[in-house]
Amino acid sequence: MTVPPVAAPAELADVAVTPAALLDRVRAAREAADAAEVELLVLAVEWAHAHPVLEGQEAWGVPGVPGVPVPGVAREERHADGAVRKVAAAPVEGFLFGIDAAGDAEPPSELAGLPLVRWDAPAAFAAANSMSTEAGQALIRDALTLRHRLPKVWRRTVAGEVPAWRARRVAQAVLARPDDVATYVDDHVAPVAGSVGVTRLDRLVDEAMLRLHAEERELAQLEALDARYVRLDERSLNHTGLAELVVRGDWKDLHDVEATITALAGVLGREGQAGHGESLDVRRSMAVGVLADPAAASALLLGGEATPCGGSCGPRREIVLYLHLTDAAVWGFDTVGRNQTAARPELEQTIRSWCGRTDTHLTVKPVIDLAEHHHVEAYEVPDRLREQVALRDPQCVFPWCTRPAKACDCDHITAYATDGTGGPTCSHNTAPLCRRHHRLKTHAGWTYRPLDPVIDPGVYAWTDPHGHHYLRGPTGTRIIDELTG
């Protein structure tokens, strides 16, 4: 696939003589882009319809939830002993209305009312569209929702009257909603789908739920009000190591925690304490860290020092971080290191402050040489090899996938065999694949190989079941015409 070259500014001078001519080209480019996005929606529907679920095959499911067998027919399961057994599934006609692996009915999912699609179908479509499998499945899901649940909005979209991104917004608003709500939204939104905003759309869905499912809507609102959680927002982490923690809980509990934080902040502000000279807000944030060690917090509140366990034991807190510093940083000449755990740069000063804290246990592990070749005579991947692979390839190496390697399987690129005919368990034959893409590689005809594990580690050439090729490396994924070498 080749992208047409874009003319350089100097080359545009003779073509775009006036601002009006430039604006005409902008309008034409926008119309072409909108038409292309609508065409992708149409292709997504055709792709889904071309991959129905046949007897014994598995249907797609919501990301993060296992796929389900096609209802009404038996499916095959392969067990650890190698035996293949047929398992019956509950009968349901034509569409997926939320059936779990046991065949029991569940509340409507985001795939409710949509045709059954084979579990491996979204991957090839997504890769050809230069997106992750999850993003490709979401595109197919939205297109099917428009086609089958919002026919009036779909007709206007295909006619070029509604941009694809606006149509998808409407589709996403009715995900997991009952059919009558989808019909209500379709009737009321279709005439204004080309301009409807998020707020108006949300209000319309809310109105439909109140009119058609008042009791269910009220229960949902009560559940939302009663939701409790503690969430550390990793996205808020900045270069100085600061982040945000959001807590929602019982008022009495939070009131007591807030009072304890305030008391600790007062102690931390005394002369000789870590927060002396800092503002109250800063000391309150420091107090949250002190609470991570209850013994130290208790000692402070009772008038002692903030020593872990009152000085009777070592630090109780421990965190595992993969921190990378260059030789220059070790000597103080490079101000930036890398926090591999959070996949972001950190100031060298921040890393030094973390390592110098007396309330956190610091373990220095041997440096892992990513260029070193490890090899074992067994199928199981040892921890040191697994760690090396995860540091070399921080994410699943499937085209456009971004799942962290720590949450992936350590795959044998060439399958291991006990008789020695397969691939070895070594640095050059292992790579991280998330469970979904591991299954695609094992059962759905996807293949890959390292381009050159010695000269160019972390670069992989992939081929999908239809013969299309992709190159995945540290800088991302690109489509290639053919494999060489």
Side-chain angles (χ1 to χ4, degrees):
M1 174 178 154
T2 58
V3 179
V6 178
E11 297 172 331
L12 292 174
D14 295 336
V15 179
V17 179
T18 65
L22 273 176
L23 291 176
D24 287 341
R25 294 184 63 192
V26 170
R27 292 177 60 183
R30 169 44 52 201
E31 290 174 359
D34 285 345
E37 291 298 328
V38 171
E39 176 67 9
L40 281 174
L41 286 178
V42 174
L43 290 172
V45 171
E46 293 180 2
W47 182 261
H49 289 171
H51 292 81
V53 183
L54 305 178
E55 181 175 352
Q57 294 180 336
E58 185 178 328
W60 67 347
V62 178
V65 179
V68 297
V70 59
V73 298
R75 71 185 190 275
E76 291 185 348
E77 282 189 354
R78 184 175 297 276
H79 295 258
D81 59 3
V84 177
R85 303 183 179 91
K86 286 189 176 291
V87 181
V92 175
E93 294 185 5
F95 293 86
L96 179 60
F97 285 95
I99 305 297
D100 65 15
D104 299 323
E106 294 181 332
S109 76
E110 64 181 43
L111 302 179
L114 305 184
L116 290 165
V117 180
R118 209 169 65 223
W119 74 274
D120 58 334
F125 176 86
N129 198 24
S130 300
M131 58 174 54
S132 69
T133 304
E134 287 74 17
Q137 175 164 324
L139 176 57
I140 296 173
R141 175 205 64 197
D142 293 348
L144 288 174
T145 299
L146 288 164
R147 170 65 177 81
H148 293 280
R149 305 192 72 203
L150 300 165
K152 295 179 180 178
V153 176
W154 174 251
R155 283 195 292 270
R156 291 202 63 200
T157 303
V158 173
E161 299 171 6
V162 180
W165 66 271
R166 285 191 180 275
R168 291 190 65 186
R169 177 187 288 174
V170 179
Q172 290 161 11
V174 301
L175 294 179
R177 301 293 185 180
D179 283 344
D180 52 358
V181 171
T183 300
Y184 185 96
V185 171
D186 193 33
D187 291 339
H188 288 77
V189 169
V192 294
S195 59
V196 66
V198 176
T199 302
R200 183 178 178 184
L201 189 58
D202 288 344
R203 287 175 179 171
L204 190 60
V205 172
D206 194 52
E207 178 184 333
M209 290 297 295
L210 288 172
R211 287 180 179 275
L212 303 171
H213 300 273
E215 184 177 353
E216 181 181 337
R217 178 60 177 155
E218 183 179 358
L219 289 173
Q221 289 176 326
L222 290 174
E223 289 179 3
L225 289 173
D226 201 36
R228 307 182 191 195
Y229 52 80
V230 177
R231 294 173 183 161
L232 175 61
D233 187 358
E234 298 285 358
R235 298 170 299 178
S236 67
L237 181 65
N238 66 15
H239 65 281
T240 61
L242 299 180
E244 295 178 2
L245 180 72
V246 180
V247 182
R248 179 180 173 86
D250 180 81
W251 177 86
K252 178 64 169 63
D253 292 338
L254 296 184
H255 180 272
D256 292 346
V257 170
E258 197 271 346
T260 303
I261 288 174
T262 300
L264 285 170
V267 177
L268 290 172
R270 297 172 185 170
E271 186 173 357
Q273 292 291 346
H276 180 65
E278 299 285 1
S279 69
L280 177 61
D281 281 341
V282 170
R283 284 184 279 119
R284 281 167 58 84
S285 71
M286 295 172 67
V288 175
V290 175
L291 284 174
D293 188 339
S298 178
L300 267 180
L301 292 172
L302 293 175
E305 296 294 326
T307 305
C309 305
S312 61
C313 68
R316 296 182 58 189
R317 289 194 281 170
E318 180 176 7
I319 186 170
V320 178
L321 296 176
Y322 291 91
L323 302 172
H324 297 265
L325 292 174
T326 63
D327 293 342
V330 174
W331 292 102
F333 300 119
D334 188 353
T335 60
V336 179
R338 181 162 184 81
N339 182 346
Q340 185 73 34
T341 304
R344 57 167 296 110
E346 303 286 359
L347 288 175
E348 171 265 344
Q349 182 179 359
T350 300
I351 296 176
R352 287 183 183 275
S353 70
W354 286 343
C355 294
R357 292 181 60 156
T358 59
D359 61 347
T360 302
H361 184 69
L362 174 66
T363 301
V364 178
K365 294 184 177 181
V367 174
I368 297 178
D369 184 356
L370 300 186
E372 184 180 356
H373 183 257
H374 294 281
H375 181 280
V376 295
E377 296 293 338
Y379 172 77
E380 291 75 17
V381 179
D383 291 342
R384 186 165 177 80
L385 174 56
R386 187 182 300 273
E387 195 169 15
Q388 181 198 43
V389 169
L391 291 173
R392 182 194 66 206
D393 302 313
Q395 298 174 327
C396 169
V397 299
F398 190 85
W400 284 286
C401 187
T402 59
R403 185 173 294 276
K406 291 294 183 181
C408 294
D409 299 331
C410 198
D411 175 53
H412 286 77
I413 300 172
T414 300
Y416 180 86
T418 55
D419 59 4
T421 58
T425 302
C426 70
S427 303
H428 297 167
N429 192 51
T430 48
L433 286 181
C434 67
R435 185 58 54 86
R436 180 176 198 165
H437 295 136
H438 196 171
R439 292 188 66 208
L440 283 171
K441 179 251 184 177
T442 305
H443 302 294
W446 285 80
T447 60
Y448 75 118
R449 62 177 175 83
L451 206 62
D452 190 321
V454 177
I455 299 176
D456 212 2
V459 179
Y460 303 91
W462 280 87
T463 302
D464 74 9
H466 311 282
H468 297 105
H469 307 294
Y470 306 90
L471 199 63
R472 170 64 188 258
T475 59
T477 304
R478 62 188 177 93
I479 299 173
I480 55 179
D481 293 329
E482 60 181 351
L483 297 180
T484 59

